[in-house]
Amino acid sequence: MTTQSEGRLDGKVAVITGGASGIGEATARLFASEGARVLIADRNAERGPEVASQIGARFIETDVRSGEDVQAMFAAADEAWGRIDVIYNNAGVGPNEDNVRDCPEKTFDLVYDVNIRGVWLGMKYGIPHLERAGGGSIIATASVAGLVGLSGIAAYCASKGAVIAMVRAAAGEWASSGIRINCICPGGIATGQGWLPEERIEQTRRDWASLHPLGRSGEAIDIANAALFLASDASGYITGQQLVVDGGWTGPDSRYDTLTGRDWTQL
Ligand SMILES: NC(=O)c1ccc[n+]([C@@H]2O[C@H](COP(=O)([O-])OP(=O)(O)OC[C@H]3O[C@@H](n4cnc5c(N)ncnc54)[C@H](O)[C@@H]3O)[C@@H](O)[C@H]2O)c1
């Protein structure tokens, strides 16, 4: 489902990491259509500029693991537009890990560097810009993997749990400066461009549908809509929270339905 453009980000400047594909790309498109001036920051220097030029945004090649790159990213937005209002620290990786015993150390390090250090750097070097703007909104992409245990991706689960914890702690530090800090926990999103090879997307959509009580796997726009809410003034009284957007994956407990056979008259 797409959202009617209503200028909900008119006048705002937004920096989006991982904006070259998937959730970040959908968010960049939505933010631009809602009036924001958008800087896409991504490691992918082929697709990033392409997306940016389609929506009138700017692009900067950025590795979110590098403090230097992250500082340059914010400086680029500041130079272009003189302020920053919204930071979406969305870039992340989810490589094959295997079980905890067999996961290579370098895989663990990659997951931690991008998913935790990257989000931390995006707050560390972004906050001074938001302070100068008199406040703003910082959003991170966590995951349902930070809320429940998923076998085979323990480092990823831990990294997303860390994002949720960091957001809570940082929100308290910056609330009095008018800086709101929240994260989104998506369910399974078969976004495709980077996350999954193109030929596996449709099958993955079908496979993941049953995980989500709403009966379908998630789409990037589902998360972009949540990011739009957290970026806009409509969420002005929300900070330190995780917004779970998972089609009901982590809410209702289907094991209970198995126990009762969905016959609630005998309870
Ligand atoms: N797809 C899902 O099912 C799902 C579920 C929950 C959470 N997430 C999270 O959503 C976020 C976006 O993932 P997606 O599904 O859109 O995947 P994606 O692979 O399509 O997009 C990730 C983007 O991040 C960029 N990126 C990766 N490492 C980077 C780095 N070091 N520096 C800069 N950019 C980098 C990639 O180039 C890519 O453009 C991630 O944080 C991911 O963990 C995804």
Side-chain angles (χ1 to χ4, degrees):
M1 194 185 75
T2 52
T3 316
Q4 196 80 32
S5 177
E6 292 169 15
R8 280 172 281 191
L9 299 180
D10 273 351
K12 293 193 194 292
V13 172
V15 175
I16 302 176
T17 72
S21 80
I23 291 167
E25 177 186 341
T27 305
R29 290 182 186 280
L30 184 60
F31 279 19
S33 77
E34 289 289 341
R37 286 158 290 174
V38 174
L39 177 68
I40 291 176
D42 203 293
R43 221 173 37 168
N44 187 336
E46 278 173 27
R47 187 155 170 83
E50 209 179 295
V51 175
S53 77
Q54 287 168 9
I55 61 174
R58 287 177 182 247
F59 171 79
I60 183 166
E61 186 173 352
T62 306
D63 187 332
V64 297
R65 294 171 291 182
S66 154
E68 232 171 74
D69 276 20
V70 172
Q71 289 176 78
M73 163 182 98
F74 289 126
D78 203 21
E79 266 163 41
W81 298 300
R83 60 183 296 123
I84 299 172
D85 305 280
V86 176
I87 297 168
Y88 187 12
N89 292 313
N90 161 74
V93 291
N96 289 327
E97 291 182 28
D98 210 334
N99 62 51
V100 169
R101 185 193 59 199
D102 299 329
C103 177
E105 288 183 31
K106 70 174 186 341
T107 304
F108 178 91
D109 291 344
L110 171 70
V111 170
Y112 257 55
D113 278 352
V114 179
N115 294 4
I116 302 180
R117 183 179 158 82
V119 169
W120 179 72
L121 288 172
M123 293 199 284
K124 176 176 173 57
Y125 292 119
I127 282 168
H129 291 272
L130 297 194
E131 280 185 287
R132 275 201 294 283
S137 172
I138 300 182
I139 308 158
T141 310
S143 172
V144 294
L147 301 172
V148 299
L150 302 176
S151 311
I153 50 168
Y156 183 81
C157 289
S159 75
K160 295 304 188 179
V163 169
I164 293 167
M166 254 197 306
V167 157
R168 285 192 191 124
E173 293 174 2
W174 298 97
S176 62
S177 307
I179 300 174
R180 300 184 297 106
I181 307 180
N182 296 287
C183 65
I184 301 170
C185 295
I189 314 291
T191 46
Q193 286 133 19
W195 196 261
L196 274 177
E198 198 64 36
E199 64 277 9
R200 282 184 46 206
I201 298 175
E202 274 316 312
Q203 187 57 46
T204 303
R205 275 201 176 98
R206 284 193 291 275
D207 292 347
W208 286 1
S210 63
L211 278 173
H212 304 84
L214 285 179
R216 64 171 175 85
S217 108
E219 300 295 333
I221 188 66
D222 294 316
I223 309 309
N225 280 325
L228 170 61
F229 171 63
L230 290 175
S232 76
D233 297 338
S235 61
Y237 200 49
I238 301 177
T239 197
Q241 300 301 316
Q242 67 270 7
L243 177 52
V244 182
V245 185
D246 69 349
W249 179 349
T250 58
D253 189 337
S254 61
R255 292 168 302 183
Y256 186 69
D257 285 348
T258 309
L259 184 74
T260 62
R262 296 182 71 80
D263 175 4
W264 302 295
T265 58
Q266 305 304 317
L267 292 177

